[in-house]
C-alpha cells in the first residue's frame, strides 16, 4: 500500500489537517503533547453523500471519530466546539477514506503474519534481490499504516502483540539482514508505533524493547544507527525513560563486549574513514543522544550525576574528538557541541564554588587531593579520610589482572555512595548491582590457593636467588676480565712504538750474550782439560739407577705429610678459643658468613689479586675494617699451638696475619677494583666543564642576548647612573625580579622574551648552544681536585707496594701480586695521565671563559659561574611557557567572543524563522516532533539561554584569568 500524504484532507488517524507541536512533558505517566489548530485551517470543499442526522446522533458519531484521534482533553473540547456542518463534513470525509482502504493490508493480522513468516525464514535460505525488496516494501507499508490508519488499527496491533513480533524479528536477523534496509524499516515501525501515547506507553512498558533497540547499534548501517539514536534520545526526554536508556546501554555493553559503557558511541564519533568520513548526521545523532543522557532524568537536578556520567565520556576521550568535529563546520552539530561544553563549564564552575576555588583541574591528582584535604582538615571525618589513604597504601600495586579488581570494587563503592539519594535510590542503575562482588570475594578469600602460591613463590625465590648469586659472580669475573683486556690492549698499543724502538738494541744485546757464552764455554773446557772429570760420563749411570725409589726415599715433603695424618687422627673436639674483642669477633663472623668463602679461598683470592672475582668491592671494603692489629697478632701467636680450638673469626685473623703485607695487599686490591669506577665518575665532570666553557666562549646567540640586556639596562637607568659598558653576570637573574607597573604577573624577563621573539628570533637558540651548562653547574672544583689527589696518592701507594714485593723472593706459587699489579700500574698510569691532562685543559678553558665575561677568575668557581647561567636558563624557559599560556588564553577569549557573536546572530535568525513559521503547516506526529527537536537541538534552547545569562553575570562579577583549560573550546 503506497504511503499517503499526511496533509490530505481528513487523512490517516485523524491527525491530518492538524499541526502537532511539542510543548513540554508533565509529570503524568505519558508525555503530554500540545496540539494547536492552524489559523489558516480550511477543510476541503466536500458535499456529504448522506443527509446530516440529528444533533444528538451526530455528536455520538463524531465522538467515536474523535476518540480515534488520540487527542488531549483540551483539543477534544476544541473539536466538539466546531459547528455541526463541519463536524458532519469531517465525519463523512473520514468514513469515505475508510471505505477506500478496506483491503487486507488494512488489518494488523496481515502484517503480523508477514513478520512471523519473515522471521522464521530469515536464516533458512538465501533471499533473492526481488524477494528482499518485497519484504522491505511490506515492512514499509506497516510503518505507513501505523502512522495513517485509525487508532483502532494501532490498538489492535498492540493487542495482537505486534511489538513482540518486531522485536523477535530484530533478535533473529543474520548479518546480511542487519546491514540491509529491512533493519532500518523495522526500527522505523517502532518509531511510528511510538508516535502516539498508547503505542509509546506500550513500547516503554515492554521488558525488552529498549534493550533490543539498543542492540541495533552494533550494525554498520548508518541510517539504522541514526534512527536508533534518535529513538533512544527521545526516550530520555520521556518521564521514566532516562533510566531505561542507561539500563539499555549497560545491556549493550555486555552484548557488544565493550570495556565500558558508551565505548561504541565514542568510537563511531571519532571514526573518519570510509563511510564514516563525512557522515555528519550520525555524529549529530550521537552528540544529541549524549546531551540528552547528560541533561535529562537525574541530570536535570543532580550535579553529582552529571559529573559522574560525563566522566565516563571524558575517560573515553570525547574532548579531543569534539575538538576535531569542529572542522565539519555544521551549524546543527556545532549547537550540540556548544551545549556539551557549556554544560560542562557550568558544572565545573558549580563544583569549584563548593571548594572556594576558581577552577579545579580534575586531571591533576595533586590538586584534587589538596582540595579534599583542605575541605576535611578540621572536620571530624578527617581521621577516616586518612584511614582510607593509609589502607590504599597497603592495596596491591603490581600490574596484574587481580589487582585491578580491588580498585574497581573500591571505585564502584564510592560511586554508589556519591550517587544514591536520601532514600538510597541510585539514578545510574546502581554500580554495585551490576558488579560481580561474589567473584571478587571468592578471589580474595581462596586461602588454599594463596598458600600454595606463596610456597611455590618462596621456593622459586630461593632458586632464583642462588642462580642470581652465581650469575653475578660470573658476571663480575667476565667484566673484570673484559676491562683488563681492554686496558691491556690500550696499553699495548701505546707501548708498541716503544717496543719497536728497543727491538734493535735487544738484538745487539742478544748477540753480545751469545758471544760471551761461547767464550765462557771455552774457558770451562780449558779448565777441566787434563782432569778426571773429562773422562767421567754421568749419563750412563741414570740408565742403571732406580730414580723413582730415590725420589720416594728422599722426598722433602714425606715427613710433613705423615705428621699431618697423625695430627688428624689424634684430634678431638674441644671448646672454641677466642682471644679477640667480642663485638669485633661478632662483626667479623657476620662478614665471613656473607662472604661464604673459606679462609683458604679468601687467602687464595688475595694472593692471586682475585683473578676469579670472588671478592666484590663492597666485601673488600668491609675486609679492610678487619685488618689484624698488632695486639691481635700477638695474642694469636701465643695460642697458635691451639689453632684447631680457635673460633672462626680468630682463625680467620690468624690466617690473614700469615700473609706478608696483608693490609697493603688488600688496599692495593681494593684500589685496583675501584680505579675504573673512580675514573668513570671524574671524566664526565671534566668533560662537562670543557664543553660548557667552549659553548660559553663560542655562542653568538648568548653574546647578542647580553647585548640586548645591556641595552635594556642602560635605557632603564638613563639619567641616573649613565651608560654602562657591561654588567656582572649575576645581574642576569635579577631580570626575573623586575615586575611591570601595569601587571604584577609580568616581569622584565617576560617582556624581554617577547621582544626577542619579534626582533631577534635567532637569539632564542642560545638555550641549544648552552646544553652542557646545567651539568657544569654541578661540578665543584675543590672536590674534583681532591678526587684527583686521592687517585694520585693511591697509585703511589700501590707502586710502593709493588717495589717492595719485587724485592722479596717468591715464596708461593699462587702469589701473583707482582705480575697482576705491574700490568695494572702500566694501564692505570696512562689512564690517570690522560685524566690529569684533561683536567688541566678544562681549567684553562674555564679561566678563559670567566675572563671573557669580565669576572674575577681567582674568586669565581665553576659551580658558581655556570650556576648563574643555569638558573637564568631555567627562568627563561619558565617565562617562555608562561608567555605561551597567556597567548593561548588571549586567543581563547577572542575566539569565545567571536563565537558568542555568531551564536547570538544565529539564534536571532532562528527565533525570527520560528516566529514566521508559527502559523505554518507541520504535519509531523508527536514522537516525530520530539525527535526533530532533539535532532536540531531546539530542546536544549532553554538551557542554553539560561547558561548564557549565568555566564554573562559571572563575567561581570569577576574575570576568568585564573582558569586554564586549553583543551575546552566553549561556544556561547
Amino acid at each position: 500500500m503506497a504511503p499517503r500524504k499526511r496533509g490530505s484532507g481528513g487523512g490517516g488517524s485523524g491527525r491530518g489537517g492538524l499541526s502537532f507541536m511539542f510543548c513540554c512533558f508533565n509529570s503524568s505517566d505519558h508525555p503530554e503533547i500540545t496540539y494547536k489548530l492552524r489559523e489558516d485551517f480550511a477543510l476541503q470543499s466536500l458535499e456529504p453523500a448522506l443527509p446530516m442526522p440529528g444533533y444528538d446522533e451526530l455528536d455520538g458519531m463524531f465522538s467515536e471519530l474523535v476518540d480515534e484521534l488520540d487527542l488531549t482533553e483540551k483539543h477534544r473540547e476544541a473539536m466538539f466546539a466546531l459547528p455541526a456542518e463541519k463536524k458532519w463534513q469531517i465525519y463523512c470525509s473520514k468514513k469515505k477514506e475508510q471505505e477506500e482502504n478496506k483491503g487486507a493490508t488494512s488489518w494488523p493480522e496481515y502484517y503480523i503474519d508477514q513478520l512471523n513468516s519473515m522471521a522464521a525464514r530469515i536464516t533458512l535460505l538465501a533471499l533473492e534481490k526481488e524477494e528482499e525488496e518485497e519484504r522491505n516494501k511490506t515492512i514499509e507499508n506497516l510503518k505507513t499504516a501505523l502512522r495513517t490508519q485509525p487508532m483502532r488499527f494501532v490498538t489492535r496491533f498492540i493487542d495482537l502483540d505486534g511489538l513482540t513480533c518486531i522485536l523477535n524479528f530484530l533478535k533473529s536477523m543474520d548479518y546480511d539482514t542487519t546491514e540491509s534496509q529491512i533493519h532500518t524499516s523495522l526500527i522505523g515501525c517502532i518509531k511510528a508505533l511510538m508516535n502516539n501515547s498508547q503505542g509509546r506507553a506500550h513500547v516503554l512498558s515492554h521488558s525488552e524493547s529498549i534493550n533490543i533497540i539498543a542492540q541495533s547499534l552494533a550494525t554498520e548501517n548508518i541510517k539504522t544507527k541514526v534512527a536508533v539514536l534518535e529513538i533512544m534520545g527521545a526516550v530520555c526526554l520521556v518521564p521514566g525513560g532516562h533510566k531505561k536508556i542507561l539500563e539499555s546501554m549497560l545491556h549493550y555493553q555486555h552484548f557488544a563486549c565493550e570495556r565500558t559503557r558508551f565505548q561504541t558511541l565514542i568510537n563511531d564519533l571519532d571514526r573518519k574513514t570510509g563511510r564514516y568520513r563525512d557522515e555528519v548526521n550520525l555524529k549529530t545523532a550521537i552528540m544529541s543522544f549524549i546531551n540528552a543522557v547528560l541533561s535529562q532524568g537525574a541530570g536535570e537536578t543532580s550535579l553529582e550525576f552529571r559529573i559522574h556520567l560525563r566522566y565516563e565520556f571524558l575517560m573515553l576521550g570525547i574532548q579531543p574528538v569534539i575538538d576535531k568535529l569542529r572542522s565539519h563546520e555544521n551549524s546543527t552539530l556545532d549547537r550540540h557541541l556548544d551545549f556539551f561544553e557549556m554544560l560542562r563549564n557550568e558544572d565545573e564552575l558549580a563544583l569549584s564554588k563548593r571548594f572556594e576555588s576558581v577552577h579545579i583541574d580534575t586531571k591533576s591528582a595533586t590538586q584534587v587531593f589538596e582540595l579534599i584535604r583542605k575541605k576535611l582538615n578540621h572536620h571530624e571525618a578527617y581521621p577516616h579520610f586518612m584511614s582510607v589513604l593509609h589502607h590504599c597504601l597497603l592495596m596491591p600495586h603490581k600490574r596484574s589482572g587481580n589487582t585491578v579488581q580491588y580498585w574497581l570494587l573500591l571505585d564502584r563503592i564510592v560511586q554508589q555512595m556519591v550517587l544514591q539519594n536520601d532514600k538510597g535510590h541510585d539514578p545510574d542503575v546502581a554500580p554495585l548491582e551490576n558488579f560481580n562482588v561474589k567473584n571478587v570475594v571468592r578471589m580474595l578469600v581462596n586461602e588454599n590457593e594463596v598458600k600454595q602460591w606463596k610456597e611455590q613463590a618462596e621456593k622459586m625465590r630461593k632458586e632464583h636467588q642462588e642462580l642470581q648469586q652465581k650469575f653475578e659472580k660470573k658476571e663480575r669475573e667476565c667484566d673484570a676480565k673484559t676491562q683488563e683486556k681492554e686496558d691491556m690492549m690500550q696499553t699495548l698499543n701505546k707501548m708498541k712504538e716503544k717496543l719497536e724502538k728497543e727491538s734493535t738494541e735487544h738484538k745487539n744485546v742478544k748477540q753480545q750474550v751469545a758471544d760471551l757464552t761461547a767464550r765462557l764455554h771455552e774457558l770451562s773446557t780449558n779448565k777441566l782439560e787434563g782432569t778426571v772429570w773429562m773422562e767421567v760420563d754421568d749419563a750412563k749411570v741414570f740408565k742403571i739407577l732406580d730414580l723413582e725409589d730415590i725420589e720416594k726415599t728422599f722426598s722433602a715433603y714425606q715427613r710433613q705429610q705423615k705428621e699431618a695424618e697423625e695430627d688428624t687422627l689424634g684430634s678431638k673436639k674441644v671448646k672454641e678459643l677466642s682471644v679477640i674483642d667480642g663485638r669485633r669477633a661478632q662483626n667479623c663472623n657476620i662478614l665471613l658468613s656473607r662472604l661464604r668463602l673459606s679462609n683458604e679461598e679468601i687467602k687464595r683470592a688475595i694472593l692471586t689479586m682475585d683473578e676469579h672475582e670472588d671478592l666484590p668491592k663492597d666485601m673488600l671494603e668491609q675486609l679492610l675494617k678487619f685488618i689484624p692489629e698488632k695486639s691481635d697478632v700477638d695474642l694469636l701467636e701465643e695460642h697458635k699451638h691451639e689453632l684447631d680450638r680457635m673460633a672462626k673469626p680468630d682463625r680467620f685473623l690468624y690466617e690473614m696475619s700469615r700473609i706478608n703485607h696483608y693490609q697493603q695487599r688488600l688496599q692495593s686490591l681494593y684500589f685496583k677494583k675501584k680505579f675504573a669506577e673512580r675514573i668513570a665518575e671524574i671524566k664526565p665532570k671534566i668533560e662537562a666543564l670543557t664543553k660548557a666553557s667552549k659553548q660559553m666562549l663560542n655562542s653568538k646567540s648568548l653574546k647578542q642576548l647580553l647585548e640586548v640586556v645591556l641595552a635594556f639596562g642602560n635605557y632603564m637607568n638613563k639619567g641616573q647612573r649613565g651608560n654602562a659598558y657591561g654588567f656582572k653576570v649575576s645581574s642576569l637573574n635579577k631580570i626575573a625580579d623586575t615586575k611591570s607597573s601595569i601587571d604584577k604577573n609580568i616581569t622584565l624577563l617576560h617582556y624581554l622574551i617577547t621582544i626577542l621573539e619579534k626582533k631577534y628570533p635567532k637569539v632564542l637558540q642560545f638555550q641549544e648552544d648552552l646544553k652542557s651548562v646545567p651539568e657544569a653547574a654541578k661540578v665543584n672544583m675543590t672536590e674534583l681536585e681532591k678526587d684527583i689527589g686521592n687517585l694520585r696518592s693511591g697509585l703511589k701507594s700501590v707502586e710502593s707496594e709493588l717495589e717492595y714485593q719485587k724485592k722479596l723472593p717468591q715464596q708461593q706459587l699462587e702469589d701473583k701480586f707482582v705480575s697482576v699489579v705491574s700490568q695494572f700500574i702500566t694501564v692505570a698510569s696512562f689512564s690517570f695521565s690522560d685524566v690529569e691532562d684533561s683536567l688541566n685543559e678544562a681549567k684553562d678553558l674555564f679561566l678563559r671563559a670567566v675572563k671573557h665575561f669580565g669576572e674575577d677568575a681567582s674568586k669565581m668557581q665553576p659551580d658558581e659561574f655556570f650556576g648563574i647561567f643555569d638558573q637564568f636558563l631555567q627562568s627563561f624557559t619558565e617565562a617562555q611557557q608562561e608567555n605561551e599560556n597567556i597567548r593561548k588564553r588571549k586567543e581563547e577569549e577572542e575566539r569565545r567572543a567571536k563565537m558568542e557573536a555568531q551564536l547570538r546572530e544565529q539564534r536571532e535568525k532562528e527565533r525570527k524563522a520560528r516566529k514566521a513559521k508559527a502559523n505554518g503547516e507541520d504535519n509531523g506526529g508527536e514522537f516525530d516532533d520530539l525527535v526533530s527537536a532533539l535532532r536540531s537541538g531546539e530542546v536544549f534552547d532553554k538551557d542554553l539561554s539560561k547558561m548564557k545569562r549565568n555566564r554573562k553575570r559571572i563575567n561581570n562579577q569577576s574575570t576568568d584569568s585564573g582558569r586554564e583549560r586549553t583543551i575546552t573550546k566553549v561556544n556561547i
Side-chain angles (χ1 to χ4, degrees):
M1 183 176 73
R4 201 166 15 78
K5 293 184 179 179
R6 298 180 199 157
S8 58
S13 59
R15 290 176 292 220
L18 296 175
S19 177
F20 301 91
M21 300 186 67
F22 168 73
C23 177
C24 62
F25 289 128
N26 296 329
S27 59
S28 57
D29 293 338
H30 313 303
E32 181 180 340
I33 309 298
T34 301
Y35 297 82
K36 185 178 74 173
L37 290 174
R38 294 203 317 266
E39 295 179 1
D40 61 343
F41 174 75
L43 294 174
Q44 296 179 354
S45 177
L46 181 63
E47 289 293 334
L50 299 173
M52 186 176 69
Y55 291 118
D56 294 338
E57 186 179 354
L58 176 60
D59 287 342
M61 297 166 63
F62 192 72
S63 178
E64 293 179 1
L65 176 62
V66 172
D67 289 340
E68 293 182 357
L69 297 180
D70 191 29
L71 301 178
T72 62
E73 190 63 33
K74 178 180 178 181
H75 296 101
R76 284 173 61 89
E77 293 176 359
M79 290 290 285
F80 282 115
L82 292 173
E85 291 76 10
K86 287 189 177 182
K87 289 181 182 179
W88 179 240
Q89 191 176 8
I90 293 172
Y91 180 82
C92 291
S93 174
K94 185 66 177 176
K95 288 300 178 182
K96 182 179 179 181
E97 181 185 350
Q98 293 176 3
E99 290 294 331
E100 293 174 353
N101 296 327
K102 274 191 175 180
T105 55
S106 64
W107 300 341
E109 291 86 346
Y110 167 77
Y111 293 106
I112 291 174
D113 290 341
Q114 291 292 319
L115 287 173
N116 290 333
S117 176
M118 286 187 280
R121 290 188 295 157
I122 196 66
T123 58
L124 297 179
L125 46 91
L127 298 175
E128 297 293 337
K129 184 176 181 181
E130 295 77 7
E131 189 176 357
E132 182 180 343
E133 291 177 354
E134 185 65 28
R135 291 188 172 193
N136 186 53
K137 184 178 179 182
T138 301
I139 299 173
E140 283 290 329
N141 289 340
L142 172 60
K143 181 173 70 173
T144 304
L146 288 170
R147 289 181 178 275
T148 60
Q149 286 294 330
M151 190 62 197
R152 59 176 175 270
F153 179 92
V154 177
T155 305
R156 180 64 176 165
F157 185 82
I158 292 172
D159 293 340
L160 294 174
D161 214 2
L163 175 61
T164 302
C165 295
I166 297 176
L167 297 177
N168 289 337
F169 196 172
L170 288 173
K171 288 195 294 184
S172 63
M173 288 189 302
D174 59 0
Y175 176 77
D176 292 332
T177 310
T178 304
E179 302 302 320
S180 69
Q181 181 62 30
I182 293 176
H183 193 178
T184 310
S185 299
L186 286 170
I187 297 297
C189 289
I190 298 177
K191 183 178 177 183
L193 182 61
M194 297 180 72
N195 210 33
N196 61 79
S197 59
Q198 189 173 349
R200 185 164 52 254
H202 181 63
V203 173
L204 293 178
S205 63
H206 195 284
S207 60
E208 293 185 314
S209 59
I210 306 300
N211 289 349
I212 296 173
I213 293 171
Q215 288 179 192
S216 296
L217 290 173
T219 182
E220 291 295 322
N221 189 323
I222 291 179
K223 289 184 178 180
T224 306
K225 280 191 175 183
V226 171
V228 171
L229 288 168
E230 289 179 344
I231 291 175
M232 296 178 68
V235 170
C236 284
L237 305 177
V238 177
H242 188 269
K243 194 163 186 176
K244 284 184 174 292
I245 293 300
L246 292 179
E247 291 173 350
S248 68
M249 294 310 299
L250 191 64
H251 168 79
Y252 182 77
Q253 177 187 349
H254 301 304
F255 174 78
C257 300
E258 292 181 319
R259 179 175 55 85
T260 183
R261 285 188 305 187
F262 311 114
Q263 185 175 347
T264 299
L265 293 181
I266 303 303
N267 290 343
D268 288 345
L269 195 64
D270 192 33
R271 288 170 74 175
K272 48 185 179 292
T273 57
R275 69 178 77 176
Y276 291 87
R277 182 178 301 164
D278 300 317
E279 190 47 62
V280 179
N281 290 338
L282 176 61
K283 300 182 188 301
T284 303
I286 293 174
M287 283 307 304
S288 66
F289 172 74
I290 291 174
N291 284 335
V293 169
L294 285 172
S295 62
Q296 300 302 312
E300 291 183 288
T301 56
S302 174
L303 172 67
E304 291 82 2
F305 176 80
R306 291 196 299 273
I307 292 177
H308 154 75
L309 209 55
R310 187 183 296 110
Y311 189 70
E312 284 194 51
F313 291 109
L314 293 175
M315 288 294 289
L316 289 169
I318 192 174
Q319 189 60 53
V321 177
I322 287 177
D323 297 341
K324 296 176 188 175
L325 293 178
R326 297 285 184 186
S327 61
H328 288 285
E329 297 181 354
N330 181 278
S331 59
T332 306
L333 177 59
D334 285 344
R335 177 186 289 188
H336 289 290
L337 300 179
D338 294 342
F339 181 78
F340 178 88
E341 293 194 322
M342 282 193 292
L343 186 61
R344 178 185 178 186
N345 285 328
E346 292 295 325
D347 289 345
E348 290 185 354
L349 185 61
L351 180 63
S352 64
K353 287 181 178 178
R354 293 185 179 183
F355 294 91
E356 300 177 355
S357 176
V358 177
H359 172 61
I360 298 176
D361 184 5
T362 53
K363 294 192 297 183
S364 171
T366 304
Q367 185 178 355
V368 172
F369 169 77
E370 283 298 320
L371 287 172
I372 299 173
R373 186 186 63 80
K374 290 178 181 178
K375 194 75 173 178
L376 298 177
N377 197 18
H378 300 292
H379 196 276
E380 58 184 4
Y382 187 77
H384 302 290
F385 170 66
M386 290 301 300
S387 176
V388 171
L389 295 180
H390 288 163
H391 285 86
C392 283
L393 288 174
L394 304 176
M395 293 272 278
H397 294 84
K398 295 182 178 179
R399 293 180 176 271
S400 64
N402 293 344
T403 302
V404 176
Q405 296 295 327
Y406 291 92
W407 294 99
L408 183 57
L409 177 60
L410 180 60
D411 184 22
R412 295 294 176 85
I413 292 173
V414 175
Q415 287 182 35
Q416 177 86 26
M417 294 168 60
V418 170
L419 294 178
Q420 68 184 14
N421 54 29
D422 297 337
K423 297 180 180 180
H425 299 305
D426 187 350
D428 188 17
V429 201
L432 288 178
E433 290 181 7
N434 296 282
F435 184 71
N436 199 340
V437 182
K438 293 182 179 179
N439 289 343
V440 178
V441 175
R442 190 182 303 117
M443 177 189 67
L444 299 180
V445 301
N446 197 340
E447 297 179 356
N448 293 332
E449 292 183 5
V450 172
K451 185 177 181 180
Q452 294 176 3
W453 180 83
K454 286 184 177 180
E455 292 176 354
Q456 293 176 1
E458 182 65 21
K459 183 178 179 182
M460 292 175 64
R461 188 187 64 78
K462 291 181 179 179
E463 294 177 356
H464 175 74
Q465 188 176 5
E466 294 176 359
L467 291 174
Q468 185 70 19
Q469 290 175 353
K470 293 179 181 179
F471 173 76
E472 290 176 355
K473 180 179 178 181
K474 292 295 181 183
E475 191 177 38
R476 288 196 303 270
E477 186 175 343
C478 291
D479 291 342
K481 294 295 182 184
T482 303
Q483 186 63 38
E484 288 181 7
K485 181 180 178 182
E486 291 177 355
D487 295 341
M488 286 299 297
M489 289 300 296
Q490 292 177 0
T491 305
L492 290 174
N493 290 333
K494 293 180 180 179
M495 296 177 66
K496 187 176 180 180
E497 296 180 1
K498 184 177 180 180
L499 292 175
E500 289 176 353
K501 292 179 181 179
E502 294 177 352
S503 60
T504 305
E505 183 180 352
H506 177 70
K507 291 179 181 179
N508 295 334
V509 173
K510 187 175 181 182
Q511 185 62 38
Q512 293 176 3
V513 171
D515 295 342
L516 182 61
T517 303
R519 292 178 60 188
L520 289 173
H521 182 68
E522 292 178 0
L523 291 173
S524 300
T525 305
N526 294 334
K527 187 176 180 180
L528 296 176
E529 189 175 356
T531 66
V532 68
W533 302 112
M534 292 295 293
E535 301 174 0
V536 172
D537 185 5
D538 58 340
K540 298 178 181 179
V541 181
F542 288 142
K543 298 178 181 180
I544 301 172
L545 295 177
D546 186 354
L547 299 178
E548 292 182 0
D549 184 60
I550 295 174
E551 182 178 356
K552 181 179 179 181
T553 304
F554 296 98
S555 172
Y557 299 98
Q558 182 176 357
R559 184 177 180 183
Q560 294 177 9
Q561 183 177 359
K562 184 175 180 181
E563 290 175 355
E565 291 176 357
E566 291 176 355
D567 292 341
T568 302
L569 293 173
S571 63
K572 295 182 180 179
K573 293 184 179 179
V574 293
K575 186 178 180 180
E576 286 186 344
L577 174 66
S578 179
V579 296
I580 63 175
D581 178 68
R583 177 61 64 85
R584 182 173 167 83
Q586 183 181 3
N587 293 336
C588 183
N589 197 24
I590 294 172
L591 172 62
L592 294 175
S593 63
R594 290 177 60 192
L595 269 175
R596 297 182 180 179
L597 296 174
S598 65
N599 292 342
E600 285 298 322
E601 289 173 332
I602 297 173
K603 185 177 180 181
R604 188 184 307 112
I606 294 172
L607 290 174
T608 60
M609 296 301 287
D610 198 21
E611 62 178 354
H612 295 299
E613 294 296 323
D614 292 321
L615 301 174
K617 284 178 284 189
D618 58 336
M619 291 294 103
L620 277 173
E621 188 176 3
Q622 294 299 320
L623 282 173
L624 285 170
K625 299 177 182 178
F626 294 96
I627 301 294
E629 299 175 355
K630 187 177 184 306
S631 57
D632 296 331
V633 174
D634 293 341
L635 288 172
L636 293 170
E637 283 292 335
E638 292 179 6
H639 298 84
K640 64 181 179 179
H641 59 282
E642 300 178 286
L643 192 61
D644 294 336
R645 289 182 54 205
M646 283 188 183
K648 188 176 180 179
D650 298 64
R651 182 70 176 267
F652 166 75
L653 293 178
Y654 176 77
E655 294 287 350
M656 297 304 106
S657 67
R658 307 296 295 174
I659 300 175
N660 187 20
H661 268 220
Y662 169 70
Q663 181 175 355
Q664 290 78 2
R665 283 176 177 269
L666 203 58
Q667 290 172 343
S668 300
L669 178 58
Y670 182 67
F671 181 82
K672 174 180 175 292
K673 284 181 174 286
K674 291 284 288 185
F675 181 79
E677 181 181 329
R678 290 173 177 173
I679 290 292
E681 291 175 355
I682 293 173
K683 276 186 176 181
K685 297 179 181 179
I686 298 175
E687 290 174 359
L689 280 179
T690 304
K691 290 180 180 179
S693 300
K694 290 180 179 179
Q695 291 168 0
M696 297 285 289
L697 289 168
N698 300 329
S699 176
K700 295 180 180 179
S701 301
L702 177 61
K703 179 181 176 183
Q704 195 167 11
L705 172 67
L706 297 177
E707 186 179 62
V708 175
V709 173
L710 179 62
F712 267 65
N714 280 330
Y715 181 79
M716 295 176 71
N717 295 324
K718 187 176 181 181
Q720 297 179 12
R721 306 178 200 171
N723 289 336
Y725 297 100
F727 58 87
K728 293 287 184 180
V729 292
S730 58
S731 302
L732 277 174
N733 292 319
K734 296 180 181 178
I735 297 176
D737 300 330
T738 306
K739 295 185 179 181
S740 168
S741 58
I742 299 175
D743 186 352
K744 297 301 181 182
N745 294 323
I746 302 298
T747 66
L748 182 58
L749 183 57
H750 292 93
Y751 184 76
L752 172 65
I753 292 171
T754 304
I755 296 299
L756 294 176
E757 289 174 345
K758 293 179 180 178
K759 306 293 185 181
Y760 305 94
K762 292 184 179 179
V763 174
L764 298 175
Q765 298 176 357
F766 86 98
Q767 294 170 292
E768 296 294 324
D769 295 346
L770 308 181
K771 285 184 176 180
S772 299
V773 167
E775 290 300 321
K778 301 174 184 177
V779 178
N780 186 296
M781 184 62 76
T782 304
E783 293 181 359
L784 186 59
E785 290 179 339
K786 182 179 178 182
D787 293 338
I788 294 291
N790 290 337
L791 283 178
R792 186 184 295 108
S793 60
L795 271 176
K796 287 183 180 179
S797 299
V798 175
E799 288 175 351
S800 300
E801 182 62 22
L802 178 62
E803 293 299 323
Y804 172 80
Q805 293 290 340
K806 283 182 178 179
K807 295 176 183 178
L808 298 177
Q810 188 174 0
Q811 298 178 349
Q812 301 184 41
L813 296 175
E814 293 179 340
D815 192 351
K816 297 182 180 180
F817 182 88
V818 175
S819 60
V820 173
V821 174
S822 297
Q823 295 176 2
F824 167 71
I825 287 295
T826 304
V827 175
S829 298
F830 277 101
S831 300
F832 180 73
S833 299
D834 185 44
V835 170
E836 242 183 348
D837 294 340
S838 300
L839 178 61
N840 292 331
E841 180 186 358
K843 285 182 178 179
D844 293 340
L845 285 170
F846 172 68
L847 292 176
R848 283 179 54 197
V850 173
K851 292 178 180 178
H852 181 71
F853 287 92
E855 300 293 335
D856 189 351
S858 62
K859 297 180 180 179
M860 188 75 76
Q861 293 296 316
D863 52 349
E864 180 185 357
F865 178 72
F866 292 115
I868 293 171
F869 288 94
D870 180 37
Q871 183 180 349
F872 179 73
L873 285 170
Q874 292 179 17
S875 301
F876 194 90
T877 303
E878 291 173 1
Q880 263 187 317
Q881 185 60 47
E882 290 170 359
N883 278 356
E884 181 66 16
N885 293 338
I886 292 172
R887 183 185 63 79
K888 287 182 178 180
R889 284 203 300 272
K890 187 176 180 181
E891 290 178 356
E892 182 69 16
E893 290 171 359
E894 291 175 354
R895 191 189 67 81
R896 288 183 183 181
K898 182 179 178 181
M899 297 201 74
E900 283 180 9
Q902 292 176 353
L903 197 58
R904 281 197 299 269
E905 183 180 353
Q906 180 182 344
R907 293 287 184 270
E908 183 64 23
K909 289 180 180 179
E910 291 176 356
R911 187 186 65 78
K912 291 179 179 179
R914 286 197 301 272
K915 185 176 181 181
K917 195 180 176 183
N919 299 323
E921 184 177 358
D922 185 1
N923 294 318
E926 302 171 4
F927 202 70
D928 288 338
D929 293 329
L930 190 56
V931 170
S932 298
L934 184 65
R935 184 191 300 128
S936 64
E938 292 179 7
V939 73
F940 303 122
D941 279 350
K942 183 178 179 181
D943 294 327
L944 280 168
S945 301
K946 181 180 178 181
M947 284 187 284
K948 176 182 174 183
R949 291 194 298 270
N950 290 341
R951 178 66 64 177
K952 285 184 178 179
R953 177 174 52 80
I954 293 168
N955 288 338
N956 291 334
Q957 292 177 356
S958 61
T959 62
D960 196 21
S961 60
R963 179 172 182 176
E964 298 179 19
R965 182 160 61 83
T966 57
I967 63 169
T968 303
K969 299 183 177 178
V970 182
N971 298 296
I972 301 178

